[in-house]
Amino acid sequence: MVEITIRKRQREEEIQPQKKFFRKTRKGRVIKVLRERYLRDDIGCGVRLCPICASPPFTGQSPSLPVQGTPHPSFPAGHHLLPDTNALLHQIDLFEHPSFQSSLILLQTVMDEVRHRSLPLYNRVRNLVRNADEWVKGGAWVFWNEFREETAVGRKEGESANDMNDRAIRTAAAWYASHIGLAHAASSPAPTVLLLTDDTASRQLASALSIPALSVRAYVAGLPNANELGDVLAAPGRVEDKEATERRAIYDEYLPAGTLDAGVAGGKLYEGRFNPNQYNYLEGFINSAALVRPILVIGRRDLNRAVAGDLVVVELYPESEWKAPGDEVVDQDLTLAADDADDSDGEEGGEAEHRLAAQEERDARDVGKRNPLEKHPTGRVVGIRKRNWRAYICHLDPSTLSSSATTSQSQQVVFATPVSPNLPRIRLRTRQAPQLVHQKIVVSIDKWDVDSRYPEGHFVRALGQVGSKEAEQESLLLEWEVPYRAFGRAILDCLPKEGDAWVVPPKTEDSIVWRDREDLREMIICSIDPPGCQDIDDALHARRLPNGNIEAGVHIADVSHFVLPDNAMDTEAAARGTTVYLVDKRIDMLPSLLGTNLCSLRAHVERLAFSVIWELTPEAKIINVRFTKSVIASKAAFTYKEAQTRKDNLALTDPVSESIRLLNALAKKLRAARMAAGALNLASPEVRIQMESPESSDPVDVEQKEQLETNSLVEEFMLLANISVAAKIQETFPQTAVLRRHQPPPASNFELLEDVLLKRKGMKLDISSSGALANSLDTCVIADEPDFNILVRIMATRCMRPAEYFCAGSVSRETFGHYGLASPIYTHFTSPIRRFADVLVHRQLAAAINYTPLHASLHSRQHMERILNGVNRRHRMAQNASRASLEFFVAVALKGRAEREGAPAREKAFIIRAFRNGVAVFVSKLGLEGLVTFKREINFDPELYSVKVPSATGEVTLSVFDEVDVEISIEKDVNTQRGRVIE
């Protein structure tokens, strides 16, 4: 029998073993949550070969801290770093830096605080710990101090939560020093455990307890590579010295959090994400769910330090002061070119900006008077709920380097210009400025004070030379926060041990793999994909039945067989959310062993699948549908063009060709039925980059993608599968089913497009329903301009709300519908190799057909909402990264074409917007949008959306929707390194 010892503390030493708090549910109920805490004495310190600690209690965890810590000039016996919460939050770039070599002790208290204050930073810290062997030379260890008997602390009477956490950190630091001292008592001198904190009071309290403590800057200053690591440190907090208080405030202070909460709850203030105007950096918009139209904010003072993506709170002006967006292009780089990076006021640039802001306000009033339809609710930013600050890709502006310091290693203040023109320039201090000119660099924002025209930040690292493919590709991945590091060991350990040698086992009664699977290996199944596709998610079949009906099937890779819930690979796939497709490479959601091999439905290879099989009438009406796990062996893997050739060549009568023809006939009828129900045929620019050779990543030219019947064939059956699966999982799991919706757009989104079409082309747009919109888009045709209809559809697409994943129980049933597809319910099931939402849907469908029980986490609506919010964000970021990659390669291809032909590229383009000082054009062949500004005087007619430009033969009128010839050259600004489309 196991002996159990119960030890009691003295009452005055007792630590509260329970955490009690109240939580409000979505339905308004208040529930009490009680959490028990059990203290232990076997939680290891994390030091390798520690003679005192027992084996770590957590499976897969092994001590990673070196016995003597890491060297430091001030600590000859070595040291371990124990950062507090603010040190970890503000200096994460330091701890991630390749040259940082100190061993880290991360307390549970600190990790919990970081998670509460910034989930993205918490995930970065987790990655730091997970990959400590690779990233942190001295190792990193998470110590569960709140569950170790000697380090757990209770809250004292009158003590704040922050003070209790600070005391817990000091208690853990003292225990570590004592523990490591005992471990080294009979051997070498013990390394120092150093508390790292920028809080002066905390350092004083630590000193009183004989706990060594330093500020981050003081610690880094003592390192041999202090110059290199010093640049990575976050800018110090604001110091209220005499000079600072004498500087005039440029912005208003933000309202207190309590005031913001009360104002939003009472309907006096409005909350939403800040989106800068891409044509005018002195304007921005906030979409609030409480208002039909976006809130317009004009001028630096009213923008009040908001940065793209920030969650802001806005106070509206009286309706009599509402304005309309300005009709002039305002370029930040040109306006603020005279600003001095070392002058926070920037008087010269400030005066120019002040004049522009005043003109902007006058323009806004004038536009609003001329066209009341363009008026927006107008307000000012009074608070920031949540900053969207992240690592930004920038270039150093060489014009801000002092002429005497172009080769100096002394610290200087310079401007870093983000590659995105929607972001403000960032002031930073660095000793490496001369070496960083003409480099792409990563910069983080640290603060933006009320008396500074620019945010302050710090240099993180250099990516490489501007224009080099490697630096450009890495920069766009970082800019759009695409996870691109190699998969770690814990993730790879989740793969089948057989590796490439894994095969579907022989069919036997006791085989777990074959349990409840249909054997469809003899079925005539084929796949149709783009050229070069390696991650083949889907395959199809169709055959005639004896009763005259048709059986059609969609077979999807059974990824959920390999990616099990709640393991390292599942967690990583959820974090990545989606595979990201760039022009010359792919950033996979899953390891390549699965994505391009074991899950990919290759031809003539047995593979596990999840099948949706319908019985359809010859008119494509569904008789019934069934869902089953299966084993298939695809008979062919076609490209769209190869499948089209098979379909068109009537001399081919083999079963595969006949199956394609049958599928195509059904697809046409399915599409016709969708269109009759009101589905939209929208458009987006589709271009393809021609490479020098299949092995090369050097672009040669750009061409439009060819759309074939077989593209539509695959699309129709994927849509049908997604709709069928959505209905099944929603019926079975009405609270947690993973669905996808596309909400109807507000009528105000189309007002400008309606007005332009009517005035310029005499065409009316009916937006009363999706069907009415589809019909009116079909009538927007000009006989001798075939690209005009495509342009109108692209512009209509931009008026739409984005589609999104959601949890069925989180919204009302009436809002489930997909507006663009005219379907009452929809999900994503057909691409689990590249979309994590599809993996979740596979798990739910498997449970719905009683193949396997649903994992506990998928029963939690809160958990599902959290996962889907992350997936939605990753999906948006992946789209932006793909678009940026395409734009970069288009630019490289155009530059190469110009060099070969000795002249800039010349293409047809449509004018899509007119301004007081320029026009925006869209080149459909290249999928490229550019701005053409005029330096000479022009006559602008805002009523007719046109400008009159003087020429040698008189005035030329340019209007929205006019087709024009443009010469395109890619030219970089010397200082900002931004590319521009030059007319």
Side-chain angles (χ1 to χ4, degrees), residues 17 93 111 114 120 157 216 310 370 600 651 672 791 872 947 975-976:
D93 291 321
M111 295 289 283
V114 169
E157 187 175 350
V216 178
D310 283 352
R370 285 194 307 269
S600 185
L791 174 66
N872 280 324
V947 294
N975 294 323
T976 67

Side-chain angles (χ1 to χ4, degrees), residues 235-253:
R238 189 180 181 199
V239 180
E240 298 293 345
D241 56 16
K242 182 179 179 182
E243 180 186 352
T245 54
E246 287 178 354
R247 286 201 297 264
R248 65 184 179 88
I250 300 171
Y251 309 100
D252 294 329
E253 294 279 6

Side-chain angles (χ1 to χ4, degrees), residues 270-275 285-295 311 749:
Y270 298 88
E271 182 180 278
R273 294 281 175 188
F274 174 70
N275 300 298
F285 299 92
I286 292 93
N287 288 304
S288 172
L291 297 172
V292 175
R293 304 197 72 167
I295 301 168
L311 185 61
N749 286 17

Side-chain angles (χ1 to χ4, degrees), residues 339-351:
D339 267 15
D340 181 0
D342 211 5
D343 175 14
S344 65
D345 292 325
E347 291 182 7
E348 291 184 44
E351 290 175 6

Side-chain angles (χ1 to χ4, degrees), residues 104-116:
L104 291 175
I105 299 170
L106 304 175
L107 300 180
Q108 174 201 357
T109 299
V110 171
M111 295 289 283
D112 286 347
E113 276 197 280
V114 169
R115 179 172 55 184
H116 176 70

